[in-house]
Amino acid sequence: MKKNQLSIKTIVAIGIGSAVFVILGRFASIPTGVPNTNFDTSYGFLALMAVVFGPIAGGLIGLIGHALKDAIFYGTPWWSWVIVSGFVGFLIGLAAKRINIEAGVFTTKKIILFNVIQIVAQAIGWFLIAPSLDVLIYAEPANKVYLQGIVAGGLNMVTVAVLGTLLLAIYAKSRSQSGSLIKED
């Protein structure tokens, strides 16, 4: 297999990850009071998938999952936010090699690195790109969409910092640490 091809495991992860993103986005989100802006647990899951499967999978899970969620529950994708979900998943996935979660160790240094990366990715995506695209694509009022971006981005940062970090810590504990002996019964 060529190095630049996606493995079957990654393709399956993209499909399942996108479906879980849709389900969490629909059934595990809480309205904020700001129009069309929710406290959304799907971003904690997206961060886990991006770190485990890398930037291509993270980007595609965010992109496909968000597009499907919007299409199913709102009738049409809101492309500015769909693009940013893909962007955030991709950027968090870029941290995968540096975090190396498969080694079974998720140290305080790696937790800090993960959270700095996710906060920067989400700040760029939700505070700048999403509202700017809302104005450019949909001619939305700037004050409305920048407020939505700030609220959504801030809540997504908290969700990923808490839920994403917790999921990654649990996942790391499920991996065999290099040099460890596995006892068979």
mmCIF file of all heavy atoms in Angstrom, residues 12 16 22 40 47 52 76 83 100-101 104-105 112 131-132 135 159-160 162 165 170 175 180:
data_model
loop_
_atom_site.group_PDB
_atom_site.id
_atom_site.type_symbol
_atom_site.label_atom_id
_atom_site.label_comp_id
_atom_site.label_asym_id
_atom_site.label_seq_id
_atom_site.Cartn_x
_atom_site.Cartn_y
_atom_site.Cartn_z
ATOM 1 N N VAL A 12 -12.951 3.290 7.915
ATOM 2 C CA VAL A 12 -14.039 2.854 8.796
ATOM 3 C C VAL A 12 -14.202 3.848 9.949
ATOM 4 O O VAL A 12 -15.330 4.214 10.314
ATOM 5 C CB VAL A 12 -13.792 1.413 9.309
ATOM 6 C CG1 VAL A 12 -14.774 1.048 10.401
ATOM 7 C CG2 VAL A 12 -13.867 0.417 8.153
ATOM 8 N N ILE A 16 -17.666 5.746 10.949
ATOM 9 C CA ILE A 16 -18.249 5.613 12.283
ATOM 10 C C ILE A 16 -18.141 6.937 13.043
ATOM 11 O O ILE A 16 -19.086 7.364 13.706
ATOM 12 C CB ILE A 16 -17.584 4.462 13.058
ATOM 13 C CG1 ILE A 16 -17.935 3.130 12.388
ATOM 14 C CG2 ILE A 16 -17.998 4.469 14.526
ATOM 15 C CD1 ILE A 16 -17.170 1.937 12.917
ATOM 16 N N VAL A 22 -22.729 13.063 14.342
ATOM 17 C CA VAL A 22 -24.129 13.430 14.074
ATOM 18 C C VAL A 22 -24.996 13.135 15.295
ATOM 19 O O VAL A 22 -25.775 13.990 15.740
ATOM 20 C CB VAL A 22 -24.679 12.673 12.843
ATOM 21 C CG1 VAL A 22 -26.182 12.870 12.697
ATOM 22 C CG2 VAL A 22 -23.957 13.103 11.578
ATOM 23 N N ASP A 40 -21.959 21.701 22.616
ATOM 24 C CA ASP A 40 -21.970 20.505 21.769
ATOM 25 C C ASP A 40 -20.852 19.526 22.145
ATOM 26 O O ASP A 40 -19.677 19.829 21.954
ATOM 27 C CB ASP A 40 -21.810 20.966 20.313
ATOM 28 C CG ASP A 40 -22.199 19.931 19.300
ATOM 29 O OD1 ASP A 40 -22.277 18.739 19.637
ATOM 30 O OD2 ASP A 40 -22.423 20.326 18.146
ATOM 31 N N ALA A 47 -12.130 15.475 18.779
ATOM 32 C CA ALA A 47 -10.730 15.605 19.199
ATOM 33 C C ALA A 47 -10.100 14.239 19.447
ATOM 34 O O ALA A 47 -8.962 13.984 19.031
ATOM 35 C CB ALA A 47 -10.637 16.474 20.452
ATOM 36 N N VAL A 52 -6.344 10.073 17.582
ATOM 37 C CA VAL A 52 -6.130 8.638 17.372
ATOM 38 C C VAL A 52 -5.866 8.322 15.896
ATOM 39 O O VAL A 52 -4.972 7.540 15.580
ATOM 40 C CB VAL A 52 -7.331 7.812 17.901
ATOM 41 C CG1 VAL A 52 -7.203 6.350 17.512
ATOM 42 C CG2 VAL A 52 -7.439 7.952 19.421
ATOM 43 N N THR A 76 -30.393 21.646 5.422
ATOM 44 C CA THR A 76 -29.261 21.989 4.552
ATOM 45 C C THR A 76 -28.031 22.278 5.415
ATOM 46 O O THR A 76 -28.165 22.795 6.517
ATOM 47 C CB THR A 76 -29.605 23.206 3.662
ATOM 48 O OG1 THR A 76 -28.537 23.414 2.739
ATOM 49 C CG2 THR A 76 -29.828 24.458 4.460
ATOM 50 N N ILE A 83 -17.219 23.773 7.303
ATOM 51 C CA ILE A 83 -15.806 23.913 6.931
ATOM 52 C C ILE A 83 -14.935 24.054 8.178
ATOM 53 O O ILE A 83 -13.868 23.440 8.282
ATOM 54 C CB ILE A 83 -15.621 25.112 5.970
ATOM 55 C CG1 ILE A 83 -16.233 24.779 4.606
ATOM 56 C CG2 ILE A 83 -14.157 25.509 5.845
ATOM 57 C CD1 ILE A 83 -16.425 25.985 3.700
ATOM 58 N N ASN A 100 1.283 11.087 20.436
ATOM 59 C CA ASN A 100 1.534 9.644 20.379
ATOM 60 C C ASN A 100 0.726 8.872 21.427
ATOM 61 O O ASN A 100 1.275 8.174 22.274
ATOM 62 C CB ASN A 100 3.032 9.354 20.516
ATOM 63 C CG ASN A 100 3.353 7.900 20.202
ATOM 64 O OD1 ASN A 100 2.558 7.191 19.596
ATOM 65 N ND2 ASN A 100 4.520 7.468 20.629
ATOM 66 N N ILE A 101 -0.574 9.000 21.327
ATOM 67 C CA ILE A 101 -1.482 8.384 22.295
ATOM 68 C C ILE A 101 -1.382 6.862 22.303
ATOM 69 O O ILE A 101 -1.636 6.218 23.322
ATOM 70 C CB ILE A 101 -2.933 8.867 22.047
ATOM 71 C CG1 ILE A 101 -3.802 8.687 23.287
ATOM 72 C CG2 ILE A 101 -3.555 8.177 20.848
ATOM 73 C CD1 ILE A 101 -3.578 9.712 24.323
ATOM 74 N N GLY A 104 0.425 4.770 25.011
ATOM 75 C CA GLY A 104 -0.209 4.476 26.294
ATOM 76 C C GLY A 104 0.148 5.453 27.395
ATOM 77 O O GLY A 104 -0.115 5.196 28.563
ATOM 78 N N VAL A 105 0.750 6.571 27.041
ATOM 79 C CA VAL A 105 1.154 7.567 28.035
ATOM 80 C C VAL A 105 0.570 8.917 27.622
ATOM 81 O O VAL A 105 0.798 9.383 26.510
ATOM 82 C CB VAL A 105 2.697 7.664 28.120
ATOM 83 C CG1 VAL A 105 3.107 8.694 29.147
ATOM 84 C CG2 VAL A 105 3.302 6.310 28.435
ATOM 85 N N ILE A 112 -1.206 19.399 28.181
ATOM 86 C CA ILE A 112 -1.069 20.835 27.937
ATOM 87 C C ILE A 112 -0.890 21.099 26.444
ATOM 88 O O ILE A 112 -1.540 21.988 25.876
ATOM 89 C CB ILE A 112 0.089 21.425 28.773
ATOM 90 C CG1 ILE A 112 -0.287 21.390 30.254
ATOM 91 C CG2 ILE A 112 0.430 22.842 28.319
ATOM 92 C CD1 ILE A 112 0.856 21.676 31.206
ATOM 93 N N PRO A 131 -17.311 33.080 11.441
ATOM 94 C CA PRO A 131 -18.117 34.294 11.277
ATOM 95 C C PRO A 131 -17.789 35.063 9.998
ATOM 96 O O PRO A 131 -18.693 35.627 9.363
ATOM 97 C CB PRO A 131 -17.799 35.131 12.522
ATOM 98 C CG PRO A 131 -16.769 34.417 13.281
ATOM 99 C CD PRO A 131 -16.533 33.089 12.674
ATOM 100 N N SER A 132 -16.510 35.064 9.610
ATOM 101 C CA SER A 132 -16.149 35.761 8.366
ATOM 102 C C SER A 132 -16.815 35.104 7.164
ATOM 103 O O SER A 132 -17.326 35.791 6.270
ATOM 104 C CB SER A 132 -14.631 35.778 8.188
ATOM 105 O OG SER A 132 -14.023 36.512 9.241
ATOM 106 N N VAL A 135 -20.505 36.009 6.982
ATOM 107 C CA VAL A 135 -20.719 37.323 6.378
ATOM 108 C C VAL A 135 -20.538 37.241 4.864
ATOM 109 O O VAL A 135 -21.355 37.758 4.101
ATOM 110 C CB VAL A 135 -19.766 38.372 7.003
ATOM 111 C CG1 VAL A 135 -19.831 39.686 6.236
ATOM 112 C CG2 VAL A 135 -20.096 38.597 8.476
ATOM 113 N N THR A 159 -15.442 22.097 26.111
ATOM 114 C CA THR A 159 -15.839 20.710 25.867
ATOM 115 C C THR A 159 -14.635 19.838 25.545
ATOM 116 O O THR A 159 -14.483 18.745 26.096
ATOM 117 C CB THR A 159 -16.852 20.631 24.701
ATOM 118 O OG1 THR A 159 -18.004 21.392 25.033
ATOM 119 C CG2 THR A 159 -17.251 19.207 24.407
ATOM 120 N N VAL A 160 -13.777 20.317 24.674
ATOM 121 C CA VAL A 160 -12.597 19.532 24.291
ATOM 122 C C VAL A 160 -11.614 19.461 25.450
ATOM 123 O O VAL A 160 -11.021 18.400 25.698
ATOM 124 C CB VAL A 160 -11.941 20.092 23.015
ATOM 125 C CG1 VAL A 160 -10.635 19.387 22.709
ATOM 126 C CG2 VAL A 160 -12.898 19.955 21.826
ATOM 127 N N VAL A 162 -12.253 19.437 28.622
ATOM 128 C CA VAL A 162 -12.752 18.512 29.644
ATOM 129 C C VAL A 162 -13.004 17.130 29.043
ATOM 130 O O VAL A 162 -12.343 16.147 29.411
ATOM 131 C CB VAL A 162 -14.032 19.064 30.314
ATOM 132 C CG1 VAL A 162 -14.615 18.053 31.287
ATOM 133 C CG2 VAL A 162 -13.746 20.381 31.023
ATOM 134 N N THR A 165 -9.983 15.712 26.739
ATOM 135 C CA THR A 165 -8.851 15.293 27.575
ATOM 136 C C THR A 165 -9.190 14.014 28.333
ATOM 137 O O THR A 165 -8.372 13.093 28.406
ATOM 138 C CB THR A 165 -8.451 16.418 28.556
ATOM 139 O OG1 THR A 165 -8.090 17.580 27.794
ATOM 140 C CG2 THR A 165 -7.301 16.001 29.445
ATOM 141 N N ILE A 170 -8.454 8.172 29.047
ATOM 142 C CA ILE A 170 -9.014 6.810 29.131
ATOM 143 C C ILE A 170 -8.472 5.957 27.992
ATOM 144 O O ILE A 170 -8.073 4.811 28.202
ATOM 145 C CB ILE A 170 -10.564 6.857 29.115
ATOM 146 C CG1 ILE A 170 -11.076 7.498 30.404
ATOM 147 C CG2 ILE A 170 -11.146 5.460 28.912
ATOM 148 C CD1 ILE A 170 -12.550 7.876 30.363
ATOM 149 N N ARG A 175 -4.171 1.427 26.114
ATOM 150 C CA ARG A 175 -3.040 1.027 25.250
ATOM 151 C C ARG A 175 -1.949 0.402 26.096
ATOM 152 O O ARG A 175 -1.731 0.795 27.234
ATOM 153 C CB ARG A 175 -2.436 2.229 24.505
ATOM 154 C CG ARG A 175 -3.405 3.077 23.722
ATOM 155 C CD ARG A 175 -3.892 2.407 22.468
ATOM 156 N NE ARG A 175 -5.149 1.725 22.756
ATOM 157 C CZ ARG A 175 -5.716 0.816 21.995
ATOM 158 N NH1 ARG A 175 -5.179 0.441 20.884
ATOM 159 N NH2 ARG A 175 -6.851 0.248 22.331
ATOM 160 N N SER A 180 6.068 -2.811 28.375
ATOM 161 C CA SER A 180 5.273 -3.484 29.405
ATOM 162 C C SER A 180 5.035 -4.934 28.978
ATOM 163 O O SER A 180 5.027 -5.281 27.797
ATOM 164 C CB SER A 180 3.939 -2.779 29.607
ATOM 165 O OG SER A 180 3.118 -2.908 28.470
#
